[in-house]
């Protein structure tokens, strides 16, 4: 939790310059990832297939009835709302429409015989036999249309756009237009459903009645051929005509009733699926006694009117009587219509348009069916009354009269049905659809996508975004020390920071590792002199700080380079300085000075070589050094031995400053042992290499057995990775001639990573 809080404090202190420096330090990954994103985008933009788009616009309005029922100048006001349009759009998206379009596409494909003009409806398989593309099935094309056909309503108006995208411009326009035509035909069929039902029923009845008429005529002809012509008196002929007329009317009403019941059944089934409660309510309304009484009275008046019209007596004027019946019938119809209007208002107030339309049709059809049923009953009674008179005819003429009556009735009934069939056919054909194709889809001349410039720009932006995300995520999870702040925020002292020394560590080149001697005016050399000054003032007293231990957390952090150059800096300040290689695991002091490792420290401690043979002159005034010598099998025991302590005490007496290069403290205990002998211990931390947790653990281990720890040195520190302004302190230095060294004259080197 403490580390997390520290990270949060560091993130909060970061400035814009810090982030810019982070990007600069990771410029290569940024360039590579951005370039990769750009290359992918360019390749995709170049290889992407052109997509063409064609759009058909439809105007959809609510049904207004057939032309025989509509006014000549239709009302221009729109009755279409968003709900109705949304319902029609869902109908367009149905599998039924998709399958019809798929079948039409297959028929067109076979008719035009131009496979190159199609793409979507073909199966593209390069491994197919002969390399030919296979035509998809109806189900496959229907499923494909769901993905490639877009249907949208233009906001605020009743215009719907059907858009199709395809690699083939011809195919895109073809599908858009076929889709519009198939939906238009479907919509027209739906609007004509009820009229079609009536027309088909009347066609069946007309055929049946025609057959009945032919049969009746044939039976009458056979009777006359057998029995001769029978002469009926005028009264008998009049009775036959009246009875046949009433029978024809009765049968006509019966046919109308059957047609109404068939339509009513369809409407009720549709309403039950949408709202069963309304369907049940309408059924109960139609059975109310009030409606029944009105309809019975209305049917009685209609029958009485028919009787009056059937009276052919020239001495009786029936005009006034018929007119009176018409007035009464009109009054009853107005009363019935008013009652129905009240019911409509109650039902329509809380139902959507689709329910309202169905409810109105069901209510009107139901009332009509009830009226026809009552009228049929009354006409049947009337026929029975006339049939009683008919049965009183003379026995010799009754058979002939019955055949004549049947022929007459069938003839009149057939005429009525044929007339109604013709009217139904006209009504069906005159019923318009509520879909108008405003703008057919045209073959596009140019592709609608891909937008290759946009793809390239997106690839560039996405690549840049991924690269920045990569370096920030990498930085977030990077737990290494980067700046002096990372150390100071853990309450650990920073003595100095040493910039990278360019050149060493590359291809084995160590020419500039001893930088204070090789190039004393370089920026790293000044950093070591600053380190020398801060070490000198870290403890009070002329004899308080003479022995200095240099260690690190892990290998490859540059402790040997720091030890060598710190010793050189002390020597340059006219202090008699001794550098000792106490890293008995992987010693390196001898390689820095280019000499053999023998004899050295261990050889002296084992009395295998005298002190004067072990101490070597470095070539730098006031600086001597001792190599590690023979590596013993027990380095820790050797460093902890009495001869080692006596040796350090003796060197402290002879020299002004003794600098010891030790093994990494996390790996072995050598440095912990030596830290208890020396006046000062310094921990080398490598920027962007040493983990913070290991640094803290190392400091804890040094402090555990002694009080010699005086601070850390941040090695390999660069301005790029610094997020701050530390590097500016070394940006210019005064040269021996008093001039400042420009950035171009700096010799920047990467420090040793031993």
């Amino acid at each position: 939790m403490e580390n997390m809080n520290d990270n949060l404090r560091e993130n909060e202190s970061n400035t814009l310059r810090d982030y810019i420096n982070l990007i600069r330090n990771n410029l290569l990954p940024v360039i590579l990832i951005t370039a990769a994103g750009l290359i992918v985008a360019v390749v995709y933009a170049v290889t992407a297939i052109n997509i063409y788009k064609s759009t058909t616009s439809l105007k959809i309005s609510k049904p207004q009835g057939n032309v025989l029922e509509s006014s000549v100048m239709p009302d221009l006001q729109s009755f279409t709302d968003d709900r109705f349009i949304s319902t029609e759009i869902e109908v367009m998206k149905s599998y039924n429409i998709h399958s019809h379009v798929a079948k039409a596409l297959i028929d067109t494909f076979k008719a035009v015989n131009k496979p190159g003009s199609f793409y979507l409806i073909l199966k593209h398989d390069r491994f197919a036999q002969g390399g030919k593309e296979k035509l998809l099935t109806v189900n496959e094309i229907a499923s494909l249309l769901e993905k490639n056909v877009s249907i949208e309503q233009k906001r605020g108006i009743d215009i719907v756009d059907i858009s199709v995208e395809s690699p083939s411009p011809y195919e895109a326009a073809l599908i858009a237009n076929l889709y519009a035509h198939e939906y238009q035909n479907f919509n027209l069929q739906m609007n004509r459903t009820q009229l079609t039902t009536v027309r088909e029923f009347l066609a069946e009845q007309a055929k049946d009645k025609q057959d009945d008429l032919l049969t009746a005529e044939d039976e009458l002809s056979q009777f006359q051929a057998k029995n001769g012509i029978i002469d009926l008196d005028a009264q008998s002929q009049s009775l036959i005509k009246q009875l046949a007329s009433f029978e024809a009317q009765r049968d006509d009403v019966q046919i109308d009733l059957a047609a109404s019941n068939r339509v009513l059944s369809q409407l009720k089934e549709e309403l039950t699926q949408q709202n069963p409660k309304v369907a049940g309510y309408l059924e109960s309304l139609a059975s109310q006694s009030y409606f029944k009484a009105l309809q019975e009275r209305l049917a009685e008046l209609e029958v009485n009117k028919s009787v009056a019209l059937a009276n052919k007596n020239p001495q009786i004027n029936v005009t006034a009587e018929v007119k009176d019946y018409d007035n009464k019938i009109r009054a009853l119809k107005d009363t019935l219509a008013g009652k129905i209007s009240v019911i409509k208002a109650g039902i329509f107030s809380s139902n959507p348009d689709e329910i309202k339309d169905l409810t109105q049709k069901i209510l009107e059809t139901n009332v009509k069916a009830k009226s026809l049923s009552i009228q049929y009953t009354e006409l049947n009674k009337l026929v029975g009354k006339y049939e009683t008179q008919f049965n009183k005819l003379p026995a010799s003429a009754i058979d002939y009269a019955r055949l004549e009556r049947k022929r007459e009735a069938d003839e009149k009934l057939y005429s009525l049905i044929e007339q109604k069939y013709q009217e139904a056919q006209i009504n069906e054909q005159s019923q318009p659809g509520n879909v108008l194709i405003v703008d057919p889809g045209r073959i596009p001349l140019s592709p609608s996508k891909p937008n290759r410039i946009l793809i390239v720009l997106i690839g560039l932006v996405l690549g840049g975004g991924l690269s920045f995300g990569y370096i920030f995520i990498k930085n977030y999870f990077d737990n290494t020390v980067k700046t002096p702040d990372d150390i100071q925020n853990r309450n650990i002292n920073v003595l100095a920071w040493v910039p990278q020394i360019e050149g060493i560590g590359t291809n084995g080149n160590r020419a500039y590792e001893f930088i204070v001697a090789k190039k004393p005016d370089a920026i790293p050399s000044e950093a070591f002199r600053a380190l020398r000054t801060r070490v000198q003032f870290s403890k009070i007293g002329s004899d308080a700080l003479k022995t200095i231990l240099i260690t690190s957390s892990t290998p490859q952090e540059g402790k040997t380079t720091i030890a060598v150059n710190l010793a050189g800096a002390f020597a340059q300040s006219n202090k008699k300085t001794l550098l000792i290689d106490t890293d008995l695991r992987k010693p390196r002091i001898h390689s820095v000075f280019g000499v053999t490792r023998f004899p050295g420290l261990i050889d002296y401690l084992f009395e295998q070589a005298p002190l004067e043979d072990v101490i070597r002159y470095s070539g730098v005034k006031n600086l001597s050094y001792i190599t590690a010598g023979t590596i013993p099998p027990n380095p820790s025991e050797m460093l902890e031995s009495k001869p080692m302590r006596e040796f350090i005490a003796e060197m402290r007496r002879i020299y002004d400053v003794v600098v010891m290069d030790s093994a990494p403290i996390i790996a072995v205990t050598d440095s912990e042992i030596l830290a208890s002998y020396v006046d000062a211990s310094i921990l080398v931390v490598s920027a962007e290499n040493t983990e913070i947790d290991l640094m803290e653990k190392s400091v804890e281990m040094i402090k555990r057995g002694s009080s010699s720890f005086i601070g850390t040195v941040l090695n390999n520190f660069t301005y790029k990775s610094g997020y701050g302004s530390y590097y500016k302190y070394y940006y210019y230095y005064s040269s021996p001639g008093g001039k400042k060294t420009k950035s171009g004259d700096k010799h920047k080197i990467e420090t040793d990573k031993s």
Side-chain angles (χ1 to χ4, degrees):
M1 181 61 70
E2 183 179 350
N3 290 340
M4 184 180 295
N5 292 334
D6 291 339
N7 288 335
L8 289 176
R9 285 197 299 271
E10 291 172 31
N11 290 338
E12 290 173 355
S13 64
N14 289 342
T15 64
L16 177 61
R17 177 184 291 180
D18 298 336
Y19 292 113
I20 293 175
N21 290 334
L22 175 63
I23 295 173
R24 289 176 56 190
N25 194 46
N26 294 272
L27 195 57
L28 182 59
V30 170
I31 293 174
L32 290 177
I33 296 175
T34 303
L38 181 61
I39 291 171
V40 171
V42 170
V43 171
Y44 176 76
V46 171
T47 59
I49 299 175
N50 286 334
I51 302 297
Y52 297 86
K53 182 177 181 179
S54 182
T55 301
T56 298
S57 296
L58 305 178
K59 182 180 184 300
I60 302 179
S61 56
K62 297 183 68 174
Q64 301 296 313
N66 60 64
V67 295
L68 299 181
E69 298 172 351
S70 303
S71 60
V72 177
M73 293 296 292
D75 189 355
L76 296 179
Q77 182 180 1
S78 174
F79 295 96
T80 305
D81 56 15
D82 290 339
R83 182 183 177 89
F84 175 75
I85 296 296
S86 299
T87 302
E88 293 303 305
I89 289 177
E90 290 305 314
V91 172
M92 289 188 227
K93 293 180 179 179
S94 66
Y95 180 80
N96 187 25
I97 300 298
H98 288 321
S99 60
H100 279 77
V101 176
K103 292 175 183 177
L105 274 172
I106 292 175
D107 293 340
T108 306
F109 175 82
K110 294 177 179 178
V112 298
N113 195 24
K114 293 181 180 179
S117 299
F118 295 86
Y119 185 89
L120 293 178
I121 65 174
L122 299 177
K123 182 180 294 183
H124 303 277
D125 186 1
R126 59 181 179 177
F127 300 108
Q129 289 184 343
K132 292 185 178 180
E133 296 167 325
K134 184 179 178 182
L135 184 65
L136 298 177
T137 64
V138 172
N139 289 336
E140 290 174 334
I141 296 176
S143 300
L144 181 142
L145 291 176
E146 294 181 7
K147 304 175 183 177
N148 292 274
V149 177
S150 172
I151 304 174
E152 295 179 351
Q153 177 188 7
K154 289 188 176 180
R155 183 179 296 274
I157 57 176
D158 54 351
I159 297 294
V160 174
D161 286 341
I162 302 176
S163 301
V164 180
E165 293 182 342
S166 170
S168 167
Y170 170 80
E171 186 180 45
L174 176 64
I175 294 176
N177 289 321
L178 284 177
Y179 215 102
H181 284 295
E182 289 299 328
Y183 169 67
Q184 188 181 41
N185 293 335
F186 176 81
N187 176 269
L188 185 60
Q189 292 175 4
M190 291 298 294
N191 287 338
R192 292 178 175 179
T193 298
Q194 298 174 26
L195 296 175
T196 302
T197 300
V198 173
R199 191 260 304 162
E200 291 175 349
F201 178 77
L202 289 175
E204 295 173 1
Q205 294 298 317
K207 186 177 183 307
D208 291 342
K209 298 311 173 186
Q210 185 181 29
D211 293 340
D212 291 344
L213 176 59
L214 292 175
T215 301
E217 289 177 345
D218 186 59
E219 289 177 350
L220 182 61
S221 298
Q222 291 179 5
F223 181 85
Q224 289 177 339
K226 181 179 180 181
N227 300 299
I229 298 176
I230 298 176
D231 187 21
L232 297 175
D233 57 21
Q235 185 177 0
S236 298
Q237 290 180 355
S238 176
L239 178 61
I240 291 173
K241 289 185 179 295
Q242 289 178 349
L243 183 55
S245 178
F246 290 141
E247 282 184 333
Q249 290 182 41
R250 181 195 63 185
D251 293 342
D252 182 51
V253 169
Q254 185 180 23
I255 291 172
D256 286 346
L257 177 60
S260 297
N261 286 333
R262 182 174 293 190
V263 172
L264 185 61
S265 177
Q266 291 179 349
L267 294 174
K268 284 182 178 179
E269 183 179 354
E270 186 175 352
L271 181 61
T272 301
Q273 293 177 355
Q274 297 190 29
N275 195 328
K277 293 182 179 180
V278 174
Y281 176 65
L282 289 177
E283 186 67 27
S284 63
L285 280 178
S287 302
Q288 287 183 1
S289 58
Y290 181 81
F291 276 106
K292 189 174 182 181
L294 284 176
Q295 291 168 333
E296 286 178 350
R297 178 58 181 161
L298 189 60
E300 183 181 351
L301 290 174
E302 291 282 0
V303 171
N304 291 338
K305 177 184 174 182
S306 298
V307 172
L309 290 173
N311 191 349
K312 301 300 182 180
N313 191 342
Q315 297 179 356
I316 301 175
N317 186 4
V318 298
T319 303
E321 186 179 1
V322 170
K323 185 176 181 181
D324 182 55
Y325 284 135
D326 286 337
N327 292 334
K328 291 178 180 179
I329 290 171
R330 190 180 303 110
L332 282 176
K333 285 184 176 180
D334 291 342
T335 303
L336 187 60
K339 184 65 176 178
I340 292 175
S341 298
V342 173
I343 296 173
K344 285 181 182 179
I347 297 175
F348 291 175
S349 60
S350 59
N351 286 290
D353 289 345
E354 294 82 358
I355 302 296
K356 291 178 183 179
D357 293 339
L358 277 175
T359 301
Q360 180 174 349
K361 292 176 181 178
I362 289 175
L363 195 57
E364 293 173 352
T365 308
N366 207 348
V367 169
K368 180 181 178 182
K370 293 292 183 183
S371 298
L372 288 172
S373 178
I374 295 172
Q375 190 175 352
Y376 173 79
T377 301
E378 294 298 324
L379 284 171
N380 200 38
K381 292 179 181 178
L382 183 61
V383 169
K385 178 181 176 182
Y386 273 80
E387 197 166 31
T388 301
Q389 298 179 16
F390 177 82
N391 290 331
K392 294 179 181 180
L393 291 176
S396 60
I398 196 167
D399 291 337
Y400 173 78
R402 185 176 287 111
L403 293 174
E404 181 65 25
R405 163 194 162 187
K406 188 175 185 311
R407 185 200 65 78
E408 185 85 16
D410 288 344
E411 183 178 12
K412 289 184 177 182
L413 181 58
Y414 173 71
S415 298
L416 290 173
I417 293 176
E418 181 65 24
Q419 181 181 356
K420 289 185 177 181
Y421 170 75
Q422 296 298 330
E423 291 176 356
Q425 196 171 30
I426 294 173
N427 283 337
E428 180 188 14
Q429 295 300 319
S430 63
Q431 173 67 46
N434 56 315
V435 176
L436 176 64
I437 299 178
V438 177
D439 188 13
R442 293 180 294 274
I443 298 178
L445 301 178
S446 60
S448 60
K449 58 184 181 182
N451 187 334
R452 289 177 168 79
I453 296 178
L454 181 61
I455 291 174
V456 172
L457 291 177
I458 291 175
L460 180 62
V461 173
L462 187 60
L466 289 175
S467 64
F468 293 148
Y470 165 77
I471 62 174
F472 285 123
I473 292 175
K474 175 187 173 185
N475 179 67
Y476 179 80
F477 289 103
D478 187 358
N479 193 34
T480 59
V481 177
K482 299 180 184 64
T483 69
D485 281 344
D486 294 336
I487 303 174
Q488 292 173 345
N489 287 338
R490 271 76 185 175
N491 295 320
I492 299 174
N493 184 37
V494 180
L495 295 171
W497 45 89
V498 179
Q500 291 180 342
I501 303 175
E502 186 180 286
I504 66 170
T506 305
N507 298 326
N509 183 13
R510 299 286 177 179
Y512 286 95
E513 188 168 6
F514 194 7
I515 189 70
V516 294
K518 299 291 184 179
K519 201 170 180 58
D521 60 341
I523 294 175
S525 299
E526 186 63 28
F528 286 115
R529 286 190 285 271
L531 173 61
R532 175 196 68 195
T533 302
R534 290 167 188 169
V535 170
Q536 285 178 321
F537 289 100
S538 62
K539 288 190 177 181
I540 301 174
S542 59
D543 200 39
L545 199 156
K546 295 189 71 174
T547 54
I548 304 169
L549 176 69
I550 307 296
T551 186
S552 63
S553 300
T554 59
Q556 304 296 315
E557 293 183 351
K559 63 178 181 56
T560 300
T561 301
I562 299 297
V564 170
N565 285 281
L566 178 60
F570 273 112
Q572 289 176 347
S573 64
N574 293 321
K575 290 186 181 293
K576 190 177 180 182
T577 305
L578 176 65
L579 174 64
I580 305 175
D581 193 347
T582 57
D583 186 351
L584 303 182
R585 313 283 177 164
K586 293 183 178 180
R588 281 198 59 254
I589 295 296
H590 64 281
S591 64
V592 174
F593 290 98
V595 298
T596 60
R597 196 173 68 230
F598 313 99
L601 174 63
I602 299 302
D603 301 297
Y604 171 75
L605 294 178
F606 276 107
E607 299 180 355
Q608 298 295 318
L611 184 62
E612 56 269 20
D613 291 344
V614 173
I615 298 176
R616 308 184 191 189
Y617 177 62
S618 66
V620 176
K621 184 181 178 182
N622 297 322
L623 177 62
S624 301
Y625 64 92
I626 298 177
T627 62
T630 304
I631 297 178
N634 53 346
S636 299
E637 287 77 6
M638 289 301 303
L639 295 176
E640 200 173 11
S641 66
K642 182 179 178 182
M644 182 63 183
R645 288 195 296 271
E646 292 175 349
F647 171 74
I648 294 175
E650 179 66 15
M651 295 303 103
R652 192 176 191 279
R653 184 184 60 81
I654 297 174
Y655 290 93
D656 296 328
V657 176
V658 178
V659 178
M660 290 182 282
D661 178 24
S662 180
I665 193 169
I666 293 292
V668 292
T669 61
D670 299 7
S671 296
E672 286 187 83
I673 296 170
L674 292 174
S676 62
Y677 302 159
V678 299
D679 301 323
S681 298
I682 298 173
L683 180 68
V684 176
V685 177
S686 179
E688 299 190 16
N689 186 28
T690 304
E691 295 183 5
I692 294 176
D693 295 341
L694 291 179
M695 176 189 69
E696 293 178 326
K697 181 67 175 177
S698 300
V699 172
E700 180 185 348
M701 293 173 68
I702 295 174
K703 290 181 177 180
R704 185 184 302 160
S706 69
S707 59
S708 63
F709 180 72
I710 61 173
T712 61
V713 175
L714 181 59
N715 191 26
N716 293 328
F717 177 67
T718 64
Y719 172 73
K720 288 182 181 180
S721 62
Y723 300 89
S725 58
Y726 304 104
Y727 195 69
K728 68 182 180 181
Y729 298 123
Y730 299 123
Y731 194 75
Y732 291 115
Y733 290 91
S734 296
S735 63
K739 295 182 180 180
K740 289 187 176 181
T741 303
K742 297 183 180 179
S743 59
D745 298 331
K746 293 182 300 177
H747 195 107
K748 184 173 150 223
I749 339 179
E750 180 186 23
T751 17
D752 160 44
K753 296 184 179 178
S754 64

